[in-house]
């Protein structure tokens, strides 16, 4: 699987239709849960998502099956609702889902553009070269990549962070498959844990934040439980890492002009998005799109000043008789913002469209209301949210969290934080449970595998359980 994005962020939540208002989900006018249409829709969605999970083996882009499934489900719903005289209701539900996806698309597009700009300016290459050149042994590299994954993912998103750290591991480990497998597991667990306490760290946390259930600052109580969910498995796995040093070749990487300033603009963009949401109560996407303008103006500045910058560097290279520098200057390409936009991972963006529309269709059929009644009315919400984490490992946390938000259960702040935590770190139980795990199976093909991860699932499960207990104990006041 290619680099999906990245980074840093996104889906939003949605009451999936006009029937899922903020006051709580209501029943659709037609109950199709026990109809042929309903059963066929479930089968279509199940087949589509099975193909998504088998992407690595089938080499079939994950967006294709969910796009087809979404079209088929809504075609059936349109036919039934038009026959029963409720086509306006179905039309309103469809438009609501499209509006929510439009916000998601633009939010993700800005985030991906910034990440691609940082990559083009060689920021990630420089970080990788620094780590490789320090001469760490395998155990130190194991801890360094894990800790960096934990602290970078809250800003750059768990998927981008995992791919970056995996590139480092692959470069220094050579053919040591055992170390690569353990290091990749550690990276996945750390990136998912680090993303759980930040609205920008995981798509699921962003969904909860944008839904308004948890404010930006209210995620911080999840920090310690997130640390627990990472540290316990990491300590156990580190006992199986050798102290020997890998054979590596140091490579110097020079940042391109404007690299550090783009990082500052990205931080300013995130701050703008938070301000629009917290102060003005507008969707965060408005602030993100304003942040895209920051990058556009800076790109304009880089292009207009490129000749002067090259001339100054050429004079210095000639004075220093640096032929390599002169040759490098001759290959400089002007910064192009629209080229960065074109490099967004469109397969991922279209995949989210398919997920939003499929889950929206199942909500209109009535399945989500039925599941919500069982899980959040007949069960204790704590057990329901723990089950959400387990389901996230099997199905992937994005559609699971989207379904929960569409159900609109009435829960305390403690339980909203709990479901955010379990959906985030629960995806680490299996390699297919999160985008980070699926991506690394492709990046480290044959070295980090499903069954290689599965062997350590009990150890990861200990961290998962310990994180839940820690949250219930430390944040007990939030459950009242």
């Amino acid at each position: 699987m290619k680099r999906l994005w990245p980074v840093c962020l996104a889906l939003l939540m949605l009451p999936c239709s006009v029937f899922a208002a903020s006051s709580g989900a209501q029943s659709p006018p037609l109950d199709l849960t026990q109809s042929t249409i309903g059963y066929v829709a479930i089968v279509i969605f199940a087949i589509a998502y099975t193909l998504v999970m088998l992407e690595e083996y089938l080499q079939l882009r994950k967006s294709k099956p969910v796009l087809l499934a979404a079209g088929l489900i809504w075609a059936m719903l349109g036919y039934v609702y038009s026959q029963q005289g409720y086509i306006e209701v179905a039309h309103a539900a469809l438009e609501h889902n499209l509006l929510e996806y439009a916000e998601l698309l633009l939010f993700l597009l800005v985030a991906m553009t910034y990440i691609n700009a940082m990559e083009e300016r060689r920021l990630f290459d420089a970080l990788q070269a620094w780590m490789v050149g320090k001469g760490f042994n395998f155990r130190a590299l194991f801890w360094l990549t894990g800790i960096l994954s934990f602290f970078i993912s809250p800003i750059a998103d768990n998927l981008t962070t995992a791919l970056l750290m995996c590139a480092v591991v692959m470069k220094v480990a050579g053919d040591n498959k055992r170390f690569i497998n353990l290091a990749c597991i550690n990276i996945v667990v750390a990136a998912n844990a680090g993303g759980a306490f930040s609205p920008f760290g995981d798509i699921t946390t962003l969904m909860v934040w944008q839904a308004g259930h948890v404010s930006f600052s209210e995620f911080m109580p999840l920090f310690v439980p997130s640390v627990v969910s990472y540290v316990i498995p990491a300590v156990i796995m580190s006992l199986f890492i050798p102290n020997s040093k890998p054979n590596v070749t140091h490579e110097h990487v020079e940042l391109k002009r404007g690299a550090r300033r783009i990082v500052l603009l990205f931080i300013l963009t995130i701050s703008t998005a938070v301000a629009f949401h917290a102060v003005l109560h507008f969707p965060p996407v408005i602030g993100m799109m304003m942040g895209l303008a920051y990058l556009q103006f800076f790109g304009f500045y880089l292009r207009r000043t490129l000749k002067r910058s090259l001339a100054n560097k050429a004079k210095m290279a000639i004075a220093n008789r640096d032929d390599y520098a002169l040759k490098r200057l001759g290959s400089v390409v002007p910064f192009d913002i629209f080229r960065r936009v074109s490099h967004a991972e469109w397969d991922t963006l279209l995949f989210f469209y398919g997920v939003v529309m499929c889950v929206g269709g199942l909500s209109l059929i009535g399945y989500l209301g039925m599941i919500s009644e069982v899980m959040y009315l007949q069960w204790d919400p704590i057990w329901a949210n723990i089950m959400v984490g387990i389901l996230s490992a099997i199905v992937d946390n994005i559609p699971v969290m989207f379904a929960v938000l569409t159900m609109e259960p009435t829960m305390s702040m403690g339980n909203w934080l709990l479901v955010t935590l379990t959906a985030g770190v629960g995806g680490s139980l299996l390699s297919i449970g999160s985008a980070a795990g699926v991506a690394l199976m492709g990046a480290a093909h044959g070295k980090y595998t499903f069954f290689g991860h599965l062997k350590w699932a009990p150890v990861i499960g200990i961290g998962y359980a310990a994180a839940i207990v820690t949250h219930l104990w430390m944040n007990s006041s939030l459950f009242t």
Side-chain angles (χ1 to χ4, degrees):
M1 178 182 293
K2 291 184 180 178
R3 183 166 240 168
L4 307 171
W5 162 44
V7 186
C8 15
L9 334 51
L11 214 125
L12 11 30
M13 163 297 276
L14 328 167
C16 208
S17 70
V18 290
F19 315 113
S22 59
S23 59
Q26 303 175 11
S27 299
L30 299 178
D31 184 0
L32 304 175
T33 55
Q34 298 183 35
S35 67
T36 301
I37 294 294
Y39 297 143
V40 172
I42 287 290
V43 171
I44 289 174
F45 182 69
I47 293 174
Y49 218 81
T50 299
L51 294 176
V52 169
M53 292 189 291
L54 295 175
E55 178 188 20
E56 177 191 359
Y57 304 100
L58 299 177
Q59 299 299 309
L60 178 70
R61 291 277 192 170
K62 63 184 177 297
S63 61
K64 296 178 181 179
V66 291
L67 285 174
L68 180 60
L72 293 174
I73 290 173
W74 278 97
M76 293 189 299
L77 284 171
Y79 174 77
V80 172
Y81 270 72
S82 63
Q83 292 296 308
Q84 299 297 321
Y86 289 110
I87 188 61
E88 291 302 321
V89 175
H91 188 266
L94 181 63
E95 285 189 337
H96 186 85
N97 281 277
L98 287 173
L99 175 61
E100 297 289 1
Y101 173 70
E103 292 184 33
L104 162 66
L105 171 67
L106 295 175
F107 194 109
L108 276 175
L109 195 60
V110 175
M112 291 179 175
T113 301
Y114 264 101
I115 294 299
N116 286 329
M118 293 179 200
E119 185 177 33
E120 189 270 342
R121 297 285 102 177
R122 305 201 71 186
L123 271 164
F124 297 144
D125 290 339
L127 176 60
Q128 176 179 306
W130 175 82
M131 295 178 62
V132 169
K134 288 297 181 179
F136 297 115
N137 62 26
F138 282 118
R139 186 167 295 180
L141 189 63
F142 174 89
W143 278 108
L144 183 60
T145 53
I147 292 172
L148 284 175
S149 296
F150 184 87
F151 285 104
I152 293 175
S153 61
I155 302 172
D157 143 21
N158 54 0
L159 177 57
T160 302
T161 302
L163 287 168
L164 169 62
M165 294 298 112
C166 180
V168 176
V169 168
M170 294 291 291
K171 188 161 187 176
V172 301
D175 295 327
N176 193 327
K177 292 184 179 181
R178 179 179 177 82
F179 172 74
I180 291 175
N181 185 66
L182 281 172
C184 286
I185 296 171
N186 183 53
I187 289 169
V188 169
V189 174
N192 288 340
F197 69 89
S198 165
F200 293 95
D202 193 304
I203 292 171
T204 56
T205 57
L206 184 68
M207 292 163 67
V208 174
W209 175 52
Q210 295 196 147
H213 295 295
V214 182
S215 69
F216 191 86
S217 60
E218 287 173 333
F219 281 94
M220 284 313 296
L222 291 179
F223 177 76
V224 175
S226 297
V227 171
V228 170
S229 71
Y230 161 60
V231 169
I232 290 179
V235 168
I236 297 174
M237 289 188 291
S238 68
L239 300 177
F240 298 85
I241 302 293
N243 277 320
S244 58
K245 287 188 176 183
N247 295 321
V248 295
T249 303
H250 176 64
E251 176 187 2
H252 174 70
V253 174
E254 182 180 348
L255 292 176
K256 292 185 179 180
R257 191 167 67 104
R260 296 181 181 87
R261 282 171 284 180
I262 288 177
V263 174
L264 295 177
L265 289 177
F266 184 49
I267 295 173
L268 178 60
T269 296
I270 292 175
S271 301
T272 304
V274 172
F276 266 90
H277 187 70
V279 179
L280 302 176
H281 306 290
F282 283 169
V285 66
I286 305 299
M288 291 296 287
M289 291 301 293
M290 184 175 175
L292 183 61
Y294 304 158
L295 186 60
Q296 286 182 306
F297 274 102
F298 185 63
F300 174 77
Y301 166 78
L302 289 178
R303 290 195 306 275
R304 291 299 298 267
T305 59
L306 178 62
K307 290 184 178 180
R308 185 178 62 193
S309 174
L310 290 177
N312 292 335
K313 290 183 178 180
K315 290 179 181 178
M316 292 178 59
I318 293 172
N320 297 328
R321 298 182 180 180
D322 190 343
D323 294 336
Y324 175 74
L326 282 172
K327 183 178 180 181
R328 190 172 65 249
L329 289 174
S331 62
V332 170
V333 177
F335 181 82
D336 187 345
I337 180 65
F338 291 106
R339 186 180 294 274
R340 298 304 106 210
V341 172
S342 69
H343 285 182
E345 181 49 61
W346 288 98
D347 181 53
T348 299
L349 297 174
L350 294 176
F351 168 72
F352 289 149
Y353 167 84
V355 169
V356 168
M357 299 307 292
C358 283
V359 174
L362 296 177
S363 175
L364 190 58
I365 290 172
Y367 283 121
L368 296 189
M370 182 175 65
I371 295 172
S372 177
E373 182 177 352
V374 173
M375 290 184 63
Y376 289 100
L377 294 181
Q378 299 181 22
W379 296 9
D380 187 299
I382 292 176
W383 288 109
N385 292 331
I386 292 173
M387 181 56 67
V388 166
I390 296 173
L391 291 174
S392 295
I394 302 171
V395 181
D396 185 277
N397 55 9
I398 294 170
V400 172
M401 178 57 81
F402 184 74
V404 171
L405 292 170
T406 304
M407 295 174 194
E408 288 276 354
T410 301
M411 296 192 297
S412 63
M413 174 61 67
N415 269 307
W416 277 113
L417 289 175
L418 177 61
V419 74
T420 302
L421 175 69
T422 57
V425 303
S428 301
L429 292 168
L430 298 177
S431 62
I432 61 172
S434 66
V438 174
L440 293 204
M441 283 195 296
H445 183 70
K447 297 176 181 178
Y448 169 63
T449 63
F450 173 84
F451 291 104
H453 190 113
L454 183 63
K455 290 191 300 184
W456 294 93
V459 173
I460 301 170
I462 295 173
Y464 176 71
I468 293 171
V469 172
T470 302
H471 174 58
L472 295 175
W473 170 58
M474 292 189 62
N475 304 317
S476 57
S477 61
L478 299 176
F479 287 84
T480 55

